[in-house]
């Protein structure tokens, strides 16, 4: 797994090693991660002895040529993902999310990997006023992050169409759950509120996002690994479409906070208004999300309360800015 020490990738690794996916118990797992600021070996601590860890960059073709041969499945979780960072400086996003995908696809082609999944995002579609996107919706990204992810997706699909590379693409909404780096909105708000600090809210707070627990996202990815068709795109929709105002209220309620702790700040540049995915194509393969938002949020809050030792050093790296 490329990017297997990050938030989503490490969850997938922990689930895979723990036997959460029937028929995959005891498989050999390799994690490739460059351990940038959001990659963390602590995310793999409970399964560290059950995986082979390789520190490296997906842009390193020579390393990929050494690591990939013999692997039956390659999943690409590796990405720069934070919109605010991409607005401040997009260069690393283009390198990892576009060049990195090309390097990985080429290495998979050379190694003859039979199953590849490129993990992507709903943000590649831009903003939708009403309804939900299907997988054939045109790409119209608005942020440098989203544009870089769209570029990587197009590279992957080009390899599928030109070379017959057996790659599938998944696109998902906003994830939440344990081990999420505290620059993202839910852990950012939770950790600041737990310390009695203020939290920043962009603009009018009416931007809508589709929220999915990371366990459901990973279960959707596994469905695509097992039953997805090469060259196809699959949406993994969440269980709650919420405005940022509604999300903030949920988070305040979860920690006993009040709106006095919310600081209104100027809106993000190019801030997409609403995302929404139709997941009928994936549901036809037998997938359905299992974690209701209320239950998943309660579990997430409990985890951050119990794991201050994990998030407190990370939060010290961050500026007090809102995140999406």
């Amino acid at each position: 797994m490329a990017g297997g020490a990050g938030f989503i990738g490490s969850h997938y690794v922990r689930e895979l090693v723990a036997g959460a996916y029937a028929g995959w118990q005891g498989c050999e797992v390799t994690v490739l991660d460059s351990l940038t600021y959001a990659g963390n070996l602590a995310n793999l601590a409970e399964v560290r002895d059950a995986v082979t860890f390789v520190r490296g960059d997906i842009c390193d073709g020579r390393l990929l040529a050494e690591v990939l041969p013999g692997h039956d499945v390659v999943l690409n979780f590796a990405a720069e993902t934070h919109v605010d960072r991409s607005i401040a400086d997009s260069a690393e996003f283009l390198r990892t999310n576009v060049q990195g995908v090309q390097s990985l696809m080429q290495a998979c082609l050379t190694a003859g990997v039979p199953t590849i999944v490129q993990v992507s995002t709903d943000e590649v579609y831009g903003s939708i006023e009403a309804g939900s996107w299907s997988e054939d919706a045109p790409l119209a990204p608005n942020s440098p992050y989203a544009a870089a992810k769209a570029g990587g997706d197009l590279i992957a699909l080009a390899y599928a169409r030109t070379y017959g590379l057996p790659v599938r693409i998944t696109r998902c909404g906003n994830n939440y759950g344990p081990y999420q780096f505290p620059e993202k909105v839910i852990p950012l708000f939770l950790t600041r509120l737990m310390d009695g600090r203020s939290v920043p809210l962009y603009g009018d707070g009416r931007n809508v996002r589709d929220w999915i627990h990371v366990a459901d996202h990973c279960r959707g990815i596994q469905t695509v690994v097992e039953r997805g068709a090469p060259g196809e795109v699959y949406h993994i929709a969440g269980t709650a479409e919420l405005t940022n105002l509604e999300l903030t209220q949920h988070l305040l309620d979860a920690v006993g906070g009040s709106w006095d702790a919310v600081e209104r700040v100027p809106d993000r540049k190019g801030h997409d208004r609403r995302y929404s995915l139709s997941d009928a194509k994936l549901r036809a393969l037998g997938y359905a999300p299992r974690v209701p938002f209320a239950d998943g949020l309660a579990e997430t809050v409990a985890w951050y309360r119990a794991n201050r030792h994990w998030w407190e050093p990370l939060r010290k790296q961050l500026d007090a800015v809102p995140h999406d």
Side-chain angles (χ1 to χ4, degrees):
M1 274 131 233
F7 166 48
I8 300 171
S10 68
H11 189 94
Y12 180 89
V13 172
R14 292 192 304 271
E15 293 281 87
L16 184 62
V17 171
Y21 309 131
W24 292 73
Q25 296 89 342
C27 63
E28 297 181 13
V29 180
T30 302
V31 172
L32 173 71
D33 201 295
S34 59
L35 297 181
T36 59
Y37 74 96
N40 189 345
L41 280 178
N43 297 352
L44 298 172
E46 63 191 73
V47 296
R48 185 68 180 85
D49 293 338
V51 304
T52 298
F53 178 77
V54 178
R55 183 168 185 174
D57 191 332
I58 60 169
C59 293
D60 186 343
R62 182 176 299 179
L63 176 62
L64 293 176
E66 295 175 359
V67 172
L68 289 185
H71 286 82
D72 299 308
V73 180
V74 168
L75 299 101
N76 185 27
F77 295 97
E80 293 288 338
T81 66
H82 191 52
V83 176
D84 288 334
R85 289 180 184 266
S86 80
I87 292 171
D89 185 358
S90 63
E92 193 61 29
F93 286 75
L94 295 173
R95 180 182 179 278
T96 301
N97 299 357
V98 181
Q99 182 185 340
V101 172
Q102 186 277 326
S103 297
L104 186 62
M105 296 302 110
Q106 182 61 47
C108 286
L109 180 66
T110 302
V113 177
T115 302
I116 306 111
V117 176
Q118 160 74 0
V119 179
S120 191
T121 173
D122 57 4
E123 298 194 38
V124 299
Y125 296 114
S127 188
I128 186 169
E129 184 174 344
S132 300
W133 291 299
S134 60
E135 285 84 354
D136 59 359
L139 305 188
N142 290 316
S143 71
Y145 158 64
K149 287 297 291 183
D153 289 1
L154 292 174
I155 288 290
L157 289 174
Y159 267 78
R161 293 163 184 165
T162 302
Y163 305 107
L165 186 70
V167 58
R168 304 105 168 112
I169 294 175
T170 62
R171 293 182 180 140
C172 189
N174 281 35
N175 281 233
Y176 70 98
Y179 293 99
Q180 188 171 28
F181 191 77
E183 69 181 351
K184 301 289 187 172
V185 63
I186 287 181
L188 176 74
F189 276 37
L190 288 178
T191 57
R192 290 181 66 86
L193 290 169
M194 286 176 187
D195 280 349
R197 300 171 64 185
S198 65
V199 294
L201 181 64
Y202 272 142
D204 64 7
R206 298 189 183 280
N207 304 77
V208 176
R209 297 296 181 262
D210 182 27
W211 290 96
I212 184 169
H213 192 276
V214 64
D216 279 337
H217 184 191
C218 290
R219 194 176 299 111
I221 290 169
Q222 184 64 19
T223 302
V224 172
V225 169
E226 296 177 9
R227 298 191 282 279
E232 293 293 323
V233 177
Y234 296 90
H235 288 167
I236 307 174
T239 58
E241 284 191 21
L242 301 171
T243 68
N244 287 342
L245 285 170
E246 291 169 330
L247 176 65
T248 299
Q249 185 65 67
H250 281 295
L251 298 176
L252 291 171
D253 292 344
V255 298
S258 74
W259 281 93
D260 292 339
V262 179
E263 178 186 358
R264 299 297 188 113
V265 298
D267 207 357
R268 166 192 288 161
K269 296 178 181 178
H271 200 176
D272 288 329
R273 194 62 166 175
R274 177 176 177 265
Y275 302 144
S276 181
L277 297 173
S278 169
D279 64 352
K281 186 174 177 179
L282 186 61
R283 285 178 182 261
L285 299 182
Y287 167 83
R290 299 176 184 172
V291 184
F293 182 75
D295 295 347
L297 183 61
E299 172 207 296
T300 300
V301 172
W303 189 89
Y304 279 93
R305 286 192 186 280
N307 289 275
R308 177 178 287 269
H309 65 279
W310 180 87
W311 57 260
E312 197 166 49
L314 300 177
R315 203 188 63 189
K316 292 178 180 178
Q317 305 173 22
L318 303 173
D319 295 327
V321 294
H323 301 292
D324 183 23

